Amino acid sequence: MPCGVVITRLEHVNMLSRNVEYLASRDAKIMGSRNGHAALFLWYTLNRKGYSGFRKDVQKCLRNAHYLKDRLVEVGIGAMLNDLSSTVVFERPHDEDFVRKWQLACQGNIAHVVVMPSVTITKLDDFVEELVQNRALWFREGKSQPRCIASDVGINNCFCALHR
């Protein structure tokens, strides 16, 4: 369930709040949003996990993001991961069915995966193995080549024919 929190000083809340006639009260929520369930779930999760629980989740995400980036590079797929990020950027797959199956976010020649706490090493291995198998078909007999992603992730992270 998507949910976010904005923490600010009361003086700023007061600047943004306004009277809402049909509510007969002041509204200080962003754009009048009212999903109370999302806020309750977020509050519950924050209280249940606590600081150390979130810290463990973040460490796992960062560790698994590094694992995915290293696995992609190991099999010859251009990839990049910024410091303190769980978003791995890599060459866009050539098959839109593959993109849809793995729900990849793509733009131009790149795709990215945001490694979340629910993503396991097994899932990452399955993804990389399937990507490698599909690439063998896509690049068979030189019909296609890996996409150039140098302008998006830098020459050092691009494994296209020009930058190998």
Side-chain angles (χ1 to χ4, degrees):
M1 176 180 297
C3 182
V5 175
V6 176
I7 299 173
T8 188
R9 298 193 184 280
L10 185 57
E11 64 202 56
H12 301 301
V13 171
N14 290 336
M15 282 191 334
L16 295 173
S17 67
R18 60 194 171 286
N19 289 322
V20 179
E21 183 178 348
Y22 67 90
L23 294 176
S25 69
R26 289 193 62 77
D27 183 13
K29 296 179 290 307
I30 297 172
M31 298 187 336
S33 61
R34 280 195 211 93
N35 187 346
H37 284 105
L40 285 173
F41 284 126
L42 182 60
W43 174 85
Y44 173 76
T45 302
L46 288 169
N47 282 289
R48 185 175 49 85
K49 284 189 177 225
Y51 178 80
S52 64
F54 275 104
R55 184 179 190 172
K56 286 178 185 175
D57 282 352
V58 169
Q59 289 170 337
K60 176 184 177 186
C61 291
L62 294 175
R63 191 171 46 251
N64 286 353
H66 281 276
Y67 177 84
L68 174 59
K69 186 251 182 189
D70 292 344
R71 280 292 319 271
L72 290 169
V73 168
E74 177 184 296
V75 298
I77 299 172
M80 181 198 77
L81 174 65
N82 286 316
D83 291 338
L84 302 177
S85 175
S86 64
T87 304
V88 180
V89 180
F90 55 97
E91 302 166 17
R92 181 184 189 142
H94 285 244
D95 181 6
E96 291 305 308
D97 288 335
F98 182 87
V99 168
R100 276 191 298 280
K101 176 185 176 184
W102 288 97
Q103 300 177 346
L104 301 177
C106 299
Q107 184 173 343
N109 287 338
I110 59 171
H112 74 264
V113 169
V114 179
V115 180
M116 301 297 289
S118 61
V119 176
T120 64
I121 294 292
T122 301
K123 177 70 82 177
L124 296 174
D125 285 338
D126 291 346
F127 170 75
V128 172
E129 287 169 23
E130 188 173 331
L131 182 55
V132 167
Q133 290 170 359
N134 278 292
R135 281 171 57 94
L137 297 173
W138 302 331
F139 302 152
R140 183 179 37 206
E141 300 167 8
K143 292 180 183 173
S144 286
Q145 294 292 317
R147 300 178 193 268
C148 180
I149 58 173
S151 64
D152 298 296
V153 299
I155 292 172
N156 294 338
N157 299 310
C158 181
F159 291 0
C160 73
L162 180 64
H163 297 111
R164 268 186 240 182

